[in-house]
Amino acid sequence: MNDWARKDQQFIWHPFTQMQEWAQESPTIIVEGVGVFLKDLYGKIYLDGSSSIWVNLHGHRKKQIDDALIAQIKKLSHSTLLGLTNLPAIELAEKLVKIAPAGLTKVFYSDNGSTAVEVALKIAFGYFKHQGTPEKRKFITFSDAYHGDTLGSVSLGGMPLFHDFYKPLLFETIKVPAPYCYRCPLALTYPSCKMACVDEVEKILSAHHHEVAGLIVEPKVQAAAGMITAPMGHLKKIRELCTRYNILMIADEVAVGFGRTGKMFACEQEGVSPDMMVLSKGITGGYMPLAATLTTQTIYDAFLGDYSEFKTFFHGHSYTGNPLGCAAAIANLEIFEKEAVLKKLKPKIALFKEKLASWKRWKHVGEIRQEGMMIGIELVTNKKTKTPYPLTLRVGKKICDEAKKNGVLLRPLGNVIVLMPPLSISIREIKKLLLVVGAAVKRITSMV
Ligand code: PLP
């Protein structure tokens, strides 16, 4: 083991990692990136199949973003948005409002997806409080939801493995069934169910709307839950219900935003405008920690008043509106436009679909879910009974370890293999990715 590896093990506590296990292996130390590839300390090259945990869009060392950051560093790296403002933050806010679904006109910055969700929660709570309805303070959230790791966002979560442990620390939320059609929480079958899960949401809303401030949804794809894709029309129905029952619809686009589903924002897939939209991850093209919570004018206006009314939104972070993050984000959005990124995705999305179609016949592939450039391959021990592999068998991890040996980096979600490469991946690179992952799935599922 080299010196860097030893020091990593001595000093770093890694996220979502069993450190006892980590200490037994020599860590892969990434030293360089270019395009969709990463290089480790020993010169081994890997295809970044998870976009460095769903953040990278246009590849590593993208010249326009590199240049924008260098130019900004020469002017100003940081200054606060508390009492001051800065040019990149202003320019980015204008750009975000321009491309966001209609009606979202105000941008509140923070640093990561979890904090941006916290901001949305506090704004929704404050909105109703300022309107004289403080009893509207609860939140509705979907089973299997994931909205981040701070306590507020964990309270909204619905993934037992990640969230149950913290229950004593969390506030109560109202859970509604997720549109997980492969394992329907209502034991029904799509489309004959006619989306009965939405009827369940309506039942809850009609019973609880007087005490509910907001409903938070991961539009189109519940990513961390295992790329659970919602059927067309689900999001629109949820929007209609929120409007009917005067509940703020919060679209958490942290994972699905910025082109991942094939449109700039997943809400566009169903022509939906939420009351709030939460953005992070791809916002800087995968370069810098930055997040934004967008709201409507009506929500913003509820916080206006004389200082003595104390309607100020008392929330902020040291790095809110960081100029470097905003400069990277501006360059990111310019790349979308100049390089027609969304248009170029179409053949890539089609290629994934075409190639993966045959995988559905494989013995242990239960379901393949794809929404644009987000793909989840759910593995099962028995296709007929849909029996999952026991988590302790770590089939997902074993497959990803095998893929890594052959030059592809992935991160599984339990028994779901996730493919979410940078949007810039080429047709040739997609073929390589599928070749390596396909071989790993076949090899490992034939062994365990
Ligand atoms: N919301 C969603 C939908 C996410 O997928 C994630 C992270 O994966 C988050 C929020 C949290 O973002 P972060 O890890 O930047 O705090």
Side-chain angles (χ1 to χ4, degrees):
M1 199 181 296
N2 66 57
D3 227 31
W4 287 111
R6 255 191 300 276
K7 283 187 188 172
D8 174 281
Q9 293 181 340
Q10 187 177 354
F11 296 115
I12 299 185
W13 190 342
H14 287 262
F16 283 98
T17 302
Q18 176 43 258
M19 294 309 292
Q20 182 172 302
E21 191 174 272
W22 183 264
Q24 286 157 10
E25 288 171 19
S26 185
T28 302
I29 301 172
I30 299 298
V31 292
E32 265 181 57
V34 61
V36 297
F37 295 101
L38 293 167
K39 186 161 98 178
D40 75 10
L41 199 58
Y42 297 108
K44 183 168 166 127
I45 307 278
Y46 305 90
L47 199 159
D48 187 359
S50 73
S51 310
S52 297
I53 299 298
W54 312 351
V55 298
N56 192 286
L57 299 179
H58 313 297
H60 298 276
R61 285 210 342 252
K62 180 76 179 170
K63 188 174 181 326
Q64 293 92 318
I65 306 181
D66 289 358
D67 289 348
L69 276 170
I70 292 163
Q72 185 56 42
I73 278 175
K74 289 183 179 165
K75 293 182 203 151
L76 172 72
S77 288
H78 187 63
S79 149
T80 179
L81 280 201
L82 277 72
L84 296 170
T85 190
N86 68 69
L87 297 180
I90 297 169
E91 189 181 339
L92 176 61
E94 183 183 18
K95 277 187 157 36
L96 287 174
V97 166
K98 222 176 239 169
I99 59 169
L104 296 169
T105 59
K106 296 287 173 189
V107 177
F108 192 98
Y109 289 116
S110 58
D111 319 330
N112 57 67
S114 308
T115 54
V117 166
E118 298 285 340
V119 168
L121 285 180
K122 287 167 94 173
I123 289 179
F125 168 79
Y127 170 72
F128 285 109
K129 195 164 170 166
H130 294 325
Q131 291 206 327
T133 46
E135 66 280 5
K136 276 174 80 72
R137 59 177 186 80
K138 290 196 176 163
F139 290 90
I140 293 182
T141 170
F142 286 90
S143 55
D144 295 305
Y146 179 82
H147 297 287
D149 289 330
T150 53
L151 285 176
S153 47
V154 171
S155 297
L156 301 173
M159 295 180 63
L161 178 66
F162 296 169
H163 301 145
D164 279 2
F165 182 80
Y166 299 106
K167 262 192 180 147
L169 302 176
L170 308 178
F171 61 78
E172 213 184 301
T173 56
I174 302 171
K175 292 269 176 295
V176 290
Y180 186 7
C181 299
Y182 182 62
R183 299 183 189 279
C184 175
L186 307 177
L188 298 172
T189 308
Y190 180 80
S192 61
C193 64
K194 299 197 174 96
M195 277 194 241
C197 54
V198 177
D199 301 337
E200 293 299 305
V201 180
E202 168 141 38
K203 269 187 221 158
I204 298 263
L205 292 196
S206 68
H208 293 279
H209 63 94
H210 58 280
E211 52 172 352
V212 172
L215 175 150
I216 187 160
V217 56
E218 295 163 79
K220 300 303 292 175
V221 189
Q222 287 191 303
M227 297 293 153
I228 296 172
T229 50
M232 192 51 137
H234 183 269
L235 192 67
K236 205 169 195 158
K237 284 173 188 277
I238 295 298
R239 169 69 275 186
E240 285 162 7
L241 288 176
C242 288
T243 306
R244 195 178 321 148
Y245 288 99
N246 186 28
I247 284 163
L248 298 180
M249 179 190 183
I250 304 164
D252 178 349
E253 293 239 6
V254 169
V256 295
F258 298 102
R260 291 289 180 193
T261 69
K263 301 253 188 211
M264 185 56 96
F265 300 112
C267 281
E268 289 172 39
Q269 300 278 4
E270 300 201 14
V272 158
S273 280
D275 299 297
M276 274 190 263
M277 187 161 78
V278 181
L279 302 172
S280 190
K281 287 200 185 275
I283 193 170
T284 60
Y287 267 63
M288 302 282 294
L290 183 77
T293 308
L294 274 61
T295 82
T296 60
Q297 191 69 36
T298 311
I299 293 172
Y300 173 85
D301 286 347
F303 288 77
L304 300 180
D306 189 79
Y307 184 79
S308 59
E309 292 176 69
F310 300 116
K311 284 183 169 177
T312 304
F313 182 45
F314 291 106
H315 183 106
H317 303 279
S318 309
Y319 285 97
T320 296
N322 171 256
L324 291 176
C326 293
I330 293 164
N332 169 37
L333 295 182
E334 286 171 354
I335 292 166
F336 267 99
E337 229 175 89
K338 281 192 192 137
E339 299 187 10
V341 170
L342 296 176
K343 207 168 137 211
K344 285 185 193 153
L345 286 180
K346 290 204 173 97
K348 301 179 193 184
I349 294 169
L351 179 65
F352 271 120
K353 197 167 188 155
E354 180 203 319
K355 294 266 176 203
L356 288 168
S358 62
W359 293 28
K360 288 180 189 163
R361 291 192 291 272
W362 295 1
K363 193 172 168 200
H364 295 284
V365 172
E367 190 182 48
I368 299 185
R369 297 182 281 271
Q370 179 183 359
E371 185 73 57
M373 297 290 280
M374 302 176 77
I375 292 154
I377 302 153
E378 180 162 343
L379 303 168
V380 289
T381 57
N382 182 320
K383 275 172 94 136
K384 254 200 189 128
T385 56
K386 300 183 182 176
T387 309
Y389 284 96
L391 275 185
T392 46
L393 216 57
R394 309 188 74 191
V395 167
K397 181 182 183 301
K398 284 177 183 148
I399 289 169
C400 294
D401 286 350
E402 176 72 12
K404 188 176 171 191
K405 274 192 224 152
N406 295 306
V408 169
L409 288 178
L410 298 173
R411 178 104 185 156
L413 292 162
N415 293 327
V416 178
I417 303 302
V418 173
L419 306 181
M420 201 160 150
L423 305 182
S424 61
I425 191 169
S426 68
I427 294 288
R428 225 180 62 186
E429 290 157 352
I430 291 176
K431 287 180 184 165
K432 178 193 157 116
L433 170 71
L434 290 174
L435 211 64
V436 171
V437 178
V441 169
K442 277 190 166 160
R443 186 171 148 77
I444 300 299
T445 53
S446 70
M447 278 169 23
V448 293

